[in-house]
Amino acid sequence: MPPRLTKEKGYWRGFFHAMASPCEILFATENRSLARELLQQSYTEAKRIEKKFSRYRADNCIYQINQSNGTPVLVDKETAHLLNFAEQCYQLSEHKFDITSGVLREVWTFDGSDNIPDSTAVEAILPRIGWSKVKWFESTITLPTGMEIDLGGIGKEYAVDQTAKLIFKRLKTGVLINYGGDLYALGPQQNGEPWGVGVDDPEATGVKQIGAVNLSKGGLATSGDARRYLLKEGVRYSHILDPTTGWPAPDTPKAITVIANTCLEAGMLSTMAMLQGSQARSFLEAQEVDFWCL
């Protein structure tokens, strides 16, 4: 479906679908042709990133790496940048943010049911997880047989930041990018007021809001289990899994929203905080960022 552009109060609203998410961009400008041109460029960029880094495709670099069976793979500059960022996240999180943990989906399906996997099945997956087992040096990655990488945890946030850079070349302020709840603001609205961003109620996501955040510049990301979880005998199992155990981190907040300089940074911090479980709030306080922990 091609992108759509509509006129709202004081801005143009662009909409399209990419990366399995609704994508919305608000342009606080009277220039319709500029808004339409920037929307088309944003759509093209989002689709490019989706095609290049999706693990669901069989024609991109992620597929090539995951099918390499221990053979070294040389990657391009952009892929190397994301792998370097993922490695940094792995170290900063004490091995809890791990792009090799996607293989856990073989035993976990977060469809709202009570289908909790057997502990032996989870344990059998663990030997195939661990960035420390991957050889990554000077743009060449060697992935042991049976392991996979998945950039889904950072891909959408990266797309938001790339879109912001693209738009900034033509429009310096008055833009709000929202890709499935991951946001970036390029300056306030035309009247100087910040953008008001609603905070979903984790108990009624998409239906009810429990607050609002003012955002004038920077990135915002939210992690939580509102949409993807399992529920059994009164225990809620978050889709954010601890790669060192193969199980959801215990006592996690229902949702965490973080504001940071970039959307990628905000997403990294919100996910790392969720993996801290009951220590999420103290973790974020130590990072000295604005956050909401529910």
Side-chain angles (χ1 to χ4, degrees):
M1 179 184 298
R4 304 194 309 269
L5 185 69
T6 59
K7 181 69 171 174
E8 305 286 347
K9 292 181 179 178
Y11 54 82
W12 290 97
R13 175 180 179 269
F15 179 85
F16 57 88
H17 200 273
M19 298 168 289
S21 300
C23 299
E24 181 183 65
I25 305 178
L26 305 181
F27 302 96
T29 176
E30 297 298 325
N31 190 332
R32 178 180 182 178
S33 62
L34 177 61
R36 186 165 51 192
E37 183 180 344
L38 291 175
L39 175 62
Q40 183 60 49
Q41 291 178 4
S42 301
Y43 170 76
T44 301
E45 177 68 354
K47 287 293 188 181
R48 181 192 71 81
I49 292 172
E50 178 183 39
K51 180 179 180 181
K52 184 171 183 177
F53 297 114
S54 171
R55 66 175 168 82
Y56 296 104
R57 300 182 65 99
D59 60 352
N60 62 16
C61 59
I62 301 302
Y63 180 83
Q64 183 185 4
I65 293 168
N66 288 341
Q67 300 299 315
S68 59
N69 292 319
T71 302
V73 177
L74 180 67
V75 303
D76 66 9
K77 186 176 180 180
E78 184 180 37
T79 306
H81 167 69
L82 287 178
L83 291 177
N84 283 332
F85 181 79
E87 182 174 64
Q88 185 181 23
C89 292
Y90 179 74
Q91 301 299 342
L92 291 173
S93 66
E94 298 180 338
H95 306 175
K96 290 182 180 293
F97 192 117
D98 192 334
I99 61 171
T100 70
S101 64
V103 290
L104 284 167
R105 66 180 177 277
E106 294 177 13
V107 292
W108 287 96
T109 301
F110 293 95
D111 55 4
S113 71
D114 62 353
N115 186 22
I116 308 301
D118 183 83
S119 59
T120 57
V122 174
E123 192 169 345
I125 298 288
L126 295 182
R128 295 163 54 200
I129 298 173
W131 177 257
S132 60
K133 301 171 186 173
V134 177
K135 294 180 181 178
W136 169 236
F137 182 68
E138 293 187 348
S139 299
T140 298
I141 182 169
T142 307
L143 197 66
T145 300
M147 290 183 65
E148 296 180 6
I149 64 168
D150 181 0
L151 296 179
I154 56 178
K156 188 149 55 70
E157 292 90 339
Y158 174 70
V160 169
D161 289 339
Q162 290 302 107
T163 300
K165 289 179 182 177
L166 184 154
I167 292 175
F168 186 73
K169 295 176 181 176
R170 303 284 306 280
L171 198 56
K172 305 299 183 187
T173 189
V175 179
L176 182 67
I177 304 161
N178 178 5
Y179 289 178
D182 295 321
L183 294 89
Y184 190 91
L186 270 172
Q189 303 178 65
Q190 281 186 321
N191 60 7
E193 294 291 325
W195 301 95
V197 179
V199 177
D200 250 1
D201 183 345
E203 301 292 343
T205 185
V207 177
K208 183 180 177 184
Q209 296 179 353
I210 57 173
V213 176
N214 290 329
L215 186 67
S216 291
K217 187 173 179 56
L220 179 151
T222 299
S223 294
D225 65 2
R227 298 176 187 271
R228 296 174 60 202
Y229 62 90
L230 296 176
L231 185 64
K232 185 172 185 179
E233 297 175 353
V235 178
R236 191 179 180 96
Y237 294 80
S238 167
H239 76 279
I240 298 178
L241 299 169
D242 184 337
T244 64
T245 66
W247 290 84
D251 304 319
T252 58
K254 291 181 178 177
I256 293 174
T257 297
V258 175
I259 292 179
N261 291 328
T262 66
C263 189
L264 198 55
E265 183 181 346
M268 172 192 72
L269 290 172
S270 61
T271 301
M272 284 187 185
M274 287 293 288
L275 288 165
Q276 296 295 319
S278 60
Q279 302 303 309
R281 183 177 293 277
S282 58
F283 168 81
L284 289 168
E285 288 173 346
Q287 310 310 311
E288 299 183 344
V289 293
D290 291 329
F291 71 91
W292 289 261
C293 191
L294 304 174

